[in-house]
Amino acid sequence: MAEEEIIRTEYSELMRKSYIDYAMSVIISRALPDVRDGLKPVQRRVLYDMYELGIRSDRPYRKSARIVGDTMGKYHPHGDSSIYDSLVVMAQDFKKGLPLVDGHGNFGSIEGDGAAAMRYTEARLQKITEEVFLKDLDLDVVDFMPNFDETEKEPTVLPVRIPNILINGSEGIAVGMATSIPPHNLGEVIDGCIAYMKNPDMSTKQMMKYIKGPDFPTGGIVANADELEAIYSTGVGKLRLRGKTEIEKGKNGKVNIIVTEIPYTMIGAGIGKFLNDVAHLVETKVTNDITDISNQSGKDGIRIVIELKKGADVDNVLNLLYKKTRLEDTFGVNMLAVSDGRPETLGLVPLIRHHVEFQYELATRKYTTLLQKARDKKEIEEGLIKACDVIDLIIEILRGSKTRVQAKECLVHGVTEGIKFKSAASKKDAAKLLFTERQADAILEMRLYKLIGLEIEALEKEYKETMQKIAEYTDILSNKASMAKTIIEDLKSIKKEFEKPRKTEINVISEAVFEEKPIEETDVCVMIDRFFYAKEFDLATYERNKEAIETEARYLFTMKNTDRLCLFTDTGNMHILKAMDIPTVKFKDKGMPIDNASNFDSSKENIVFIGVMSDIIKQKLLFATKSGLIKIIDGTEFDLISRKTVMASKLGDGDSFVFIHNVESDDNIVFRTKNHYFLRIDVSEVPEQKKNALGVKGISLSEKDEVTDVYLLKKGIDHTVEVDGKKVILQNMKINKRAAKGTKR
């Protein structure tokens, strides 16, 4: 046995090569479309498999699971979900301007509902897919390659006769690159192709006379038409998309905004997000003009109704929706495709050029094959016509021959040995016969009814037609103008049969400007109940229900509607809760969890103190931890905070705050520990420090003891607590120095 050879190599080089190989595999074999047919490998394989299975537009639907399984077993060994997802998208008319698959069953909805499982849905090819994408595959127009296990052959590209990469667009994420090509109108793109074939030197601006801009299946408006030329020149840029709206009269003199078409980017979960965003604008009081929103979309199309209050400024509300929701959105264009085996970003004219070059290649291969077939047919027809002229001699040869081979040898080479002739003249004439191999086979297989006079006339007529076809094919192949004319006629016939009107409007609309109305500052009552639900009342509601509100409230504040609440937690965080974010409700309504209106997370922290920002910045706050550390922070340190959450005070490892409150200079502080030690100190003992300081020792703790409570004593007010069933008046305790151990009770 030969010794193993150890190959030493640089690890980084090996990794680099392996990663490049992987990246190129993803780019070429999975994520990016081919510039010629505009299809990714999985799409191409699904369509070819359906073609092979004979699932045509005029035949019954077949189970999607059958298509997926056959495609995976023969051509695409990457899992059934990627194949079925591709099949579904090609059947969705709200994603594809030109659906390539005719789906039967639940193939999802524009609102984001997923397709049913593949065992429930059925599919077949669309008519245009058969006639424009898969036709002529039997004429050797494209190359075939072995499949993954070399048991089948699959086309490297489909002979698509329209620029599918522009008509259906494409989206895909590869390694280090992504493609995003918007869909376009079939009729316009075909007009652009024809114009390019007549003038190959045309500019992007000239091409845009035919291809006005993207045409999304969801309609809507492209609002930055003035930027399209730059986008189409480079293949990169951003489209500004808007939904279409109508104004309808509502009840009692009110008006409704009706969204009838949505931006392409809103397909799926985007519609639900739009509804939530509009509701959020109302809840956060950004606008008071919207009274209700409902999604009434159905089979007839999109219909989202936004009801406005009487006298609302409709234009201002529309501008708010464009500015704050996805009713106006951007679509990033990056026209990246695989060209000559490598990824390339292409502008509009180069994409059309690649398509036209591909059409010339297809036409050359198609008419070369057809010409050869016509010449073969001509040869046979000439033989049959010649045979009809000497049919008596041929019958004599056939009757005198012992075998088919003997008869064929006579017809092709004039070999007469072994054949019985009626006369020497016949034998002499037979020796002069020089049919070709193909002609001889046709003569030997010819049926007697072909000798009828009408059949002979039909044969001569067919021969003339064959000669005309040969002349036509020869002209197309030898004359580029003739080939161009043929391609143009083909494109015109496709346009005539499959063209649809444009859905997307191309326009120049300036960006929306929303003027926020100044908020009228008023006094409100904010209540937080024992379940930490917050709700807001106007003062009149508070006065009418004062007793019930105060009974139910854990925290209760009278504050300005422009003010903020500061939520201090045991973890040292301070969360901001704007009064504007708290819903104004009726007394019996539930309100909103403060977790939803702020960054507070009740599963990870506990609230120790809540205060109004305008009050806190005028006060001094006392912070005490379970490890006995204490300090005072000036409230001005929390002023001008714009973030929703900040660190209110630094904490040591494993420590937490047990007490936070505003203090006065004449207050006393009492510590209480788990082991029932009490220590009373004067507030003057506690130094004022910055937020980032840990604090100073307030009480000395024995091992395994910790502070459980801190009490603030006000002058003239007795504070009583219970210890082991006995009442203790805290004011009776002796005032000690800070950091003492205290007295056990």
Side-chain angles (χ1 to χ4, degrees):
M1 181 176 163
E3 288 186 14
E4 288 186 5
E5 184 182 353
I6 298 173
I7 300 171
R8 296 188 178 274
T9 183
E10 182 63 36
Y11 183 71
S12 60
E13 279 298 314
L14 185 66
M15 287 296 293
R16 182 169 172 271
K17 182 181 181 302
S18 298
Y19 191 77
I20 288 172
D21 290 345
Y22 161 73
M24 288 306 294
S25 172
V26 172
I27 291 164
I28 305 300
S29 304
R30 206 176 302 180
L32 300 187
D34 192 296
V35 72
R36 296 170 294 175
D37 61 6
L39 298 170
K40 298 177 187 177
V42 63
Q43 296 170 323
R44 188 179 302 119
R45 287 164 175 168
V46 167
L47 296 178
Y48 180 66
D49 186 74
M50 292 176 76
Y51 170 81
E52 284 286 282
L53 290 172
I55 312 173
R56 312 294 164 84
S57 60
D58 56 350
R59 296 182 187 176
Y61 295 94
R62 295 281 284 277
K63 283 286 185 186
S64 299
R66 169 66 194 278
I67 298 165
V68 170
D70 204 62
T71 304
M72 182 166 60
K74 288 182 179 177
Y75 309 116
H76 196 75
H78 292 293
D80 58 349
S81 60
S82 64
I83 300 170
Y84 186 51
D85 288 348
S86 178
L87 178 71
V88 167
V89 170
M90 287 193 288
Q92 292 176 328
D93 58 1
F94 52 86
K95 280 192 180 176
K96 296 290 182 185
L98 186 69
L100 304 179
V101 172
D102 179 8
H104 184 240
N106 176 14
F107 273 80
S109 75
I110 195 170
E111 295 181 32
D113 302 314
M118 62 179 133
R119 61 183 178 275
Y120 300 122
T121 60
E122 297 176 323
R124 65 184 177 189
L125 290 171
Q126 290 277 13
K127 185 181 179 185
I128 191 170
T129 316
E130 285 177 39
E131 296 187 4
V132 180
F133 282 65
L134 296 160
K135 194 177 177 182
D136 300 335
L137 270 173
D138 56 340
L139 295 179
D140 190 34
V141 287
V142 295
D143 292 331
F144 279 71
M145 63 180 182
N147 68 338
F148 62 91
D149 62 359
E150 299 189 0
T151 57
E152 302 277 345
K153 293 277 189 180
E154 62 175 302
T156 56
V157 64
L158 292 187
V160 182
R161 306 197 325 264
I162 54 175
N164 179 55
I165 196 163
L166 281 171
I167 293 166
N168 265 332
S170 186
E171 289 185 33
I173 300 171
V175 178
M177 60 185 71
T179 186
S180 181
I181 304 171
H184 292 75
N185 183 268
L186 181 141
E188 290 181 8
V189 172
I190 287 177
D191 288 342
C193 284
I194 294 170
Y196 176 83
M197 291 179 74
K198 292 177 179 177
N199 176 20
D201 298 322
M202 69 192 312
S203 64
T204 302
K205 190 172 184 179
Q206 289 172 314
M207 179 62 76
M208 287 179 65
K209 290 178 182 176
Y210 305 95
I211 304 174
K212 308 282 190 292
D215 187 23
F216 295 99
T218 54
I221 303 168
V222 173
N224 60 331
D226 52 338
E227 297 175 30
L228 282 177
E229 187 179 344
I231 293 170
Y232 280 147
S233 295
T234 60
V236 177
K238 285 186 178 179
L239 298 171
R240 190 155 52 87
L241 308 182
R242 273 191 182 185
K244 277 188 182 176
T245 57
E246 295 174 0
I247 307 301
E248 279 186 6
K249 288 184 179 179
K251 297 177 182 177
N252 305 321
K254 298 178 181 179
V255 293
N256 299 334
I257 295 173
I258 314 296
V259 179
T260 57
E261 293 178 10
I262 59 172
Y264 186 67
T265 51
M266 203 194 280
I267 289 174
I271 294 178
K273 188 176 187 311
F274 171 71
L275 299 173
N276 290 335
D277 287 346
V278 174
H280 183 69
L281 292 173
V282 177
E283 288 171 3
T284 55
K285 303 180 181 69
V286 175
T287 178
N288 296 316
D289 290 336
I290 298 174
T291 58
D292 193 21
I293 180 169
S294 58
N295 186 4
Q296 300 175 11
S297 305
K299 290 182 179 178
D300 296 329
I302 295 292
R303 181 180 168 84
I304 300 171
V305 181
I306 301 165
E307 297 178 18
L308 306 185
K309 72 178 185 183
K310 194 172 182 178
D313 185 341
V314 177
D315 289 336
N316 202 40
V317 173
L318 273 173
N319 284 336
L320 169 66
L321 296 176
Y322 291 138
K323 199 78 177 171
K324 302 286 187 180
T325 72
R326 293 183 70 177
L327 192 60
E328 178 173 302
D329 206 358
T330 56
F331 180 96
V333 176
N334 186 26
M335 299 202 288
L336 183 71
V338 177
S339 171
D340 297 323
R342 61 187 182 86
E344 187 178 352
T345 302
L346 301 161
L348 181 62
V349 176
L351 280 172
I352 296 289
R353 184 181 69 247
H354 276 285
H355 172 73
V356 170
E357 288 173 355
F358 182 50
Q359 294 314 299
Y360 279 120
E361 182 187 331
L362 290 178
T364 301
R365 293 182 65 162
K366 173 184 176 179
Y367 288 107
T368 299
T369 304
L370 288 175
L371 178 60
Q372 186 56 50
K373 287 188 174 184
R375 283 174 173 164
D376 292 344
K377 190 177 181 184
K378 167 183 169 273
E379 182 186 336
I380 291 169
E381 287 169 348
E382 284 178 343
L384 292 175
I385 290 169
K386 182 181 171 184
C388 288
D389 292 338
V390 290
I391 193 64
D392 293 333
L393 177 61
I394 289 173
I395 291 171
E396 196 173 333
I397 293 168
L398 295 177
R399 291 186 69 181
S401 299
K402 294 177 182 176
T403 64
R404 177 189 171 98
V405 173
Q406 195 177 42
K408 187 176 178 181
E409 280 292 306
C410 181
L411 292 173
V412 175
H413 302 294
V415 178
T416 57
E417 284 77 8
I419 300 174
K420 292 179 181 179
F421 290 95
K422 291 180 180 178
S423 65
S426 296
K427 186 173 183 180
K428 187 177 179 183
D429 289 339
K432 296 176 183 177
L433 294 176
L434 292 171
F435 289 99
T436 65
E437 293 267 350
R438 198 177 278 113
Q439 288 172 339
D441 285 332
I443 291 166
L444 291 170
E445 291 168 9
M446 184 175 68
R447 297 187 178 183
L448 286 175
Y449 80 88
K450 288 284 185 181
L451 300 175
I452 299 169
L454 288 175
E455 287 293 326
I456 294 170
E457 286 179 19
L459 179 62
E460 289 173 346
K461 185 181 177 183
E462 200 174 316
Y463 176 67
K464 285 179 183 177
E465 289 174 359
T466 303
M467 293 303 292
Q468 286 174 354
K469 285 180 180 177
I470 289 172
E472 180 189 337
Y473 299 156
T474 304
D475 179 53
I476 289 171
L477 289 168
S478 59
N479 190 337
K480 191 172 182 181
S482 298
M483 186 178 285
K485 183 182 177 184
T486 304
I487 294 169
I488 288 170
E489 286 173 358
D490 187 42
L491 287 170
K492 284 180 177 177
S493 67
I494 294 170
K495 178 187 173 183
K496 185 178 179 180
E497 185 172 359
F498 299 108
E499 182 184 23
K500 292 179 182 177
R502 164 176 278 280
K503 291 183 178 180
T504 302
E505 180 186 326
I506 307 295
N507 212 330
V508 178
I509 304 173
S510 56
E511 288 201 38
V513 177
F514 170 65
E515 295 178 9
E516 289 198 41
K517 295 177 181 177
I519 299 166
E520 185 181 344
E521 195 171 72
T522 58
D523 289 319
V524 294
C525 174
V526 174
M527 185 197 92
I528 298 175
D529 65 17
R530 63 184 183 278
F531 301 111
F532 288 101
Y533 274 73
K535 48 188 173 182
E536 191 176 292
F537 313 104
D538 56 56
L539 291 185
T541 303
Y542 170 60
E543 291 298 334
R544 285 196 305 271
N545 304 278
K546 188 174 182 178
E547 188 176 337
I549 289 172
E550 289 178 351
T551 302
E552 188 183 335
R554 180 189 287 244
Y555 298 96
L556 192 62
F557 306 93
T558 301
M559 58 194 288
K560 297 291 183 186
N561 61 340
T562 55
D563 213 338
R564 298 169 290 173
L565 289 178
C566 301
L567 282 56
F568 293 88
T569 70
D570 57 353
T571 59
N573 288 325
M574 183 184 83
H575 303 292
I576 298 295
L577 175 57
K578 294 180 181 178
M580 299 294 292
D581 292 343
I582 301 170
T584 302
V585 297
K586 296 174 184 176
F587 167 62
K588 291 185 179 180
D589 289 345
K590 196 171 185 181
M592 174 192 287
I594 59 174
D595 301 51
N596 294 357
S598 68
N599 287 342
F600 169 67
D601 186 347
S602 57
S603 66
K604 296 178 180 177
E605 51 189 347
N606 300 301
I607 290 175
V608 180
F609 175 68
I610 301 178
V612 179
M613 177 65 84
S614 58
D615 294 334
I616 285 174
I617 59 176
K618 300 172 188 173
Q619 299 168 338
K620 296 188 185 297
L621 297 183
L622 176 72
F623 287 73
T625 75
K626 71 177 183 181
S627 66
L629 296 177
I630 193 166
K631 66 177 174 181
I632 290 174
I633 300 175
D634 194 297
T636 55
E637 287 213 41
F638 305 109
D639 196 9
L640 302 174
I641 289 172
S642 58
R643 286 178 293 164
K644 275 194 166 185
T645 301
V646 294
M647 186 187 74
S649 179
K650 192 174 181 181
L651 270 174
D653 291 340
D655 208 354
S656 61
F657 287 106
V658 293
F659 184 81
I660 303 170
H661 206 279
N662 55 296
V663 294
E664 304 291 339
S665 58
D666 55 354
D667 290 343
N668 283 170
I669 303 160
V670 176
F671 292 96
R672 179 178 181 172
T673 74
K674 187 169 68 174
N675 295 336
H676 301 313
Y677 279 86
F678 285 80
L679 175 67
R680 179 182 177 187
I681 65 172
D682 192 84
V683 76
S684 60
E685 290 273 313
V686 184
E688 187 176 309
Q689 295 182 321
K690 295 292 184 183
K691 289 193 300 181
N692 291 333
L694 281 172
V696 296
K697 186 180 285 189
I699 182 173
S700 293
L701 298 171
S702 58
E703 193 177 347
K704 294 185 180 179
D705 200 5
E706 63 183 37
V707 175
T708 56
D709 296 287
V710 175
Y711 308 105
L712 212 56
L713 305 185
K714 301 286 183 181
K715 275 192 175 179
I717 302 173
D718 284 347
H719 198 131
T720 304
V721 297
E722 194 172 289
V723 182
D724 291 336
K726 297 177 182 178
K727 289 186 178 180
V728 177
I729 301 172
L730 299 180
Q731 272 80 359
N732 293 341
M733 289 183 178
K734 179 184 175 183
I735 298 176
N736 282 314
K737 292 290 183 182
R738 178 177 60 78
K741 189 171 183 181
T743 307
K744 187 164 185 177
R745 296 280 176 172

